[in-house]
Amino acid sequence: MQRMELVVPCHFGLEAVCKKEIQDLGYDVHTVSDGKVHFIGDAEAIVRANIFLRTGERVLLKLGSFHAESYEDLFQGTKALPLEEYLPKDASFWVTKASSVKSKLFSPRDIQSVMKKAMVDRMASYYHQSFFEEHGAKYPFRVSLYKDEVLLCLDTSGDSLHKRGYRLKMGKAPIKETLAASLILLSKWREDAPFVDPMCGAGTFPIEAAMIAAKIAPGMHRHFTAEAWENLIPKKEWDYALEEAGDEIDRSLLETKKNSYGKMVDIQGYDIDPAMIPVCRENAERAGVGKLIHFQEREVGKMSHSKRGGLILTNPPYGERIEDKRNLPLLYTELREAYEDLDDWRLCLITAYEQAEKYLGKADKNRKLYNGMMKTYFYQYNGKGRK
């Protein structure tokens, strides 16, 4: 099969986690940049990356890159790319998103318009016609400009990969599924250790943890734009990848809650809002992990667990959208006190609250991340509490 360069956007600060996932799938990582991981693969790689990656936002097929400081540069650079190798005659194609950072060309709408005209010109010269009905499969393009360097890609995913399909109902400030999975992997949690999210909202952290434990591929139950690209990806590739994903599921774990070592998987989610508990359960059932998670209405200060060596992973209120900042000192103090009363547990949390360490204590590790455009911190506390 033809080998291509693929680009996986991911959360800023979590590129290493995404890189490891791609390597674990068996592919060679080409380069890593801010918020992007580039790797080499074929049609099979496009399919498997979409279905199996937990941390990437989408899978992009790179068509080319070039320098552009004017709209004429942009037009000619786009027109020079071999679009006909990817687009059939009846393709419906457009630039669905344009972004620009530190570049002379900065208007997304103008960038999209100029590039669409250049694409039509290229297709017209190749197919010897001036009009395209565009009634066939959809081929959305994404373009990014950084310091006047243009990167043009086809979006093979369609909807962002964080849309697994299980979270039909959400809380007030939900964390993305891809970010939740990234933080679980970053935390080095093992399925034989207890896992608790004491402020679980719609249940995203516990559900992603359960899917990881049961080896359920996140893209098994959704569709992708590239499924219709039969000129580039044979349908059998999708069938093979879904069969592979089905074979990998630990069905014994789903039935018995015991992992391959014979230890019980213990995943729990608490929330103070009683209305969120049935939401969590519905979401978990749709994800196929309803039997693996115990959800319960409970205050943070009443969190407890009889086992040792577990992990608390949570996304507490920041004081930005949910709660007044005046309530946060008590909340974070209660979290610290509950954590310290557990036997040799670890605590990991993502928050934008600048005073978090004042009430939690100084973290063993502190990583700056971006949740969308919001700067956040991932605090890690390792093994404190009573012995």
Side-chain angles (χ1 to χ4, degrees):
M1 290 186 183
Q2 179 186 357
R3 292 174 65 77
M4 301 163 278
E5 183 174 345
L6 304 174
V7 183
V8 179
C10 61
H11 287 275
F12 283 96
L14 292 167
E15 295 86 355
V17 181
C18 186
K19 175 184 176 180
K20 185 177 186 305
E21 261 209 299
I22 293 168
Q23 290 173 327
D24 287 346
L25 281 176
Y27 302 113
D28 296 326
V29 171
H30 184 263
T31 55
V32 177
S33 57
D34 288 345
K36 292 186 180 73
V37 180
H38 300 240
F39 72 102
I40 305 301
D42 52 15
E44 179 189 80
I46 293 174
V47 175
R48 294 182 71 239
N50 272 300
I51 291 174
F52 287 99
L53 286 182
R54 301 181 189 279
T55 63
E57 291 300 304
R58 56 186 69 246
V59 180
L60 305 177
L61 168 57
K62 179 180 174 180
L63 267 69
S65 58
F66 55 91
H67 188 82
E69 298 184 23
S70 67
Y71 284 113
E72 180 63 22
D73 293 340
L74 184 66
F75 184 93
Q76 296 300 336
T78 304
K79 188 176 177 180
L81 297 176
L83 301 177
E84 66 280 354
E85 294 180 8
Y86 303 91
L87 304 182
K89 190 176 182 179
D90 65 347
S92 173
F93 58 97
W94 71 102
V95 180
T96 185
K97 183 174 177 61
S99 63
S100 177
V101 177
K102 298 179 181 178
S103 297
K104 294 179 178 64
L105 306 179
F106 55 84
S107 166
R109 181 173 295 182
D110 290 339
I111 291 168
Q112 289 169 299
S113 176
V114 168
M115 296 187 80
K116 171 66 176 185
K117 290 177 182 177
M119 291 175 183
V120 171
D121 260 28
R122 173 78 188 202
M123 295 286 282
S125 62
Y126 181 81
Y127 287 110
H128 305 293
Q129 63 184 58
S130 59
F131 177 76
F132 295 89
E133 293 186 2
E134 300 191 35
H135 53 69
K138 295 181 166 103
Y139 292 77
F141 288 87
R142 286 180 171 250
V143 60
S144 60
L145 282 75
Y146 180 69
K147 293 184 178 178
D148 301 320
E149 292 299 317
V150 182
L151 173 65
L152 180 63
C153 300
L154 272 170
D155 181 3
T156 75
S157 302
D159 286 337
S160 171
L161 295 182
H162 82 269
K163 296 184 177 181
R164 322 285 208 212
Y166 68 76
R167 201 170 67 174
L168 301 185
K169 297 180 181 178
M170 294 177 278
K172 295 179 181 177
I175 190 169
K176 275 188 176 183
E177 294 89 328
T178 45
L179 179 54
S182 298
L183 297 180
I184 294 168
L185 295 175
L186 184 63
S187 76
K188 306 294 184 183
W189 172 71
R190 302 185 320 274
E191 65 192 55
D192 58 349
F195 181 102
V196 173
D197 179 356
M199 292 171 271
C200 69
T204 307
F205 272 131
I207 291 171
E208 289 293 323
M211 290 177 68
I212 290 170
K215 299 178 176 60
I216 297 175
M220 280 190 71
H221 303 296
R222 53 157 288 172
H223 291 287
F224 307 95
T225 299
E227 287 181 65
W229 299 356
E230 295 185 8
N231 62 312
L232 297 176
I233 306 173
K235 183 181 180 301
K236 65 180 182 180
E237 295 295 348
W238 297 98
D239 296 335
Y240 292 157
L242 287 173
E243 183 179 355
E244 177 189 358
D247 290 343
E248 285 194 3
I249 296 174
D250 189 341
R251 301 188 187 279
S252 175
L253 176 65
L254 294 175
E255 294 170 4
T256 67
K257 293 186 70 173
K258 288 185 178 180
N259 63 18
S260 56
Y261 305 103
K263 293 187 177 181
M264 294 291 290
V265 171
D266 185 350
I267 301 173
Q268 302 186 33
Y270 310 144
D271 203 272
I272 194 173
D273 183 356
M276 293 309 300
I277 304 307
V279 170
C280 291
R281 290 173 180 156
E282 289 176 24
N283 289 342
E285 286 293 334
R286 274 189 291 270
V289 294
K291 294 180 180 179
L292 285 184
I293 310 170
H294 173 69
F295 289 108
Q296 184 181 55
E297 177 191 348
R298 187 183 290 194
E299 297 175 14
V300 172
K302 295 181 178 179
M303 178 178 60
S304 63
H305 205 291
S306 60
K307 297 179 183 177
R308 71 187 306 272
L311 171 69
I312 300 168
L313 178 56
T314 193
N315 174 37
Y318 304 161
E320 298 291 334
R321 293 169 289 181
I322 304 177
E323 297 196 10
D324 191 284
K325 275 190 167 62
R326 290 174 296 180
N327 299 325
L328 297 186
L330 176 60
L331 178 68
Y332 282 71
T333 299
E334 288 179 338
L335 176 61
R336 173 181 55 79
E337 291 174 347
Y339 158 60
E340 289 179 344
D341 198 41
L342 297 172
D343 190 355
D344 196 27
W345 278 52
R346 294 184 296 125
L347 168 64
C348 297
L349 69 150
I350 181 172
T351 181
Y353 183 39
E354 298 282 354
Q355 300 297 312
E357 286 185 297
K358 179 178 178 180
Y359 304 101
L360 291 170
K362 185 170 178 56
D364 294 299
K365 291 183 180 179
N366 176 10
R367 180 187 293 245
K368 184 167 68 175
L369 306 172
Y370 281 87
N371 185 1
M373 297 302 294
M374 182 184 294
K375 182 173 71 173
T376 63
Y377 303 91
F378 187 57
Y379 296 113
Q380 295 177 266
Y381 297 82
N382 296 325
K384 294 182 179 178
R386 60 184 172 87
K387 301 296 182 183

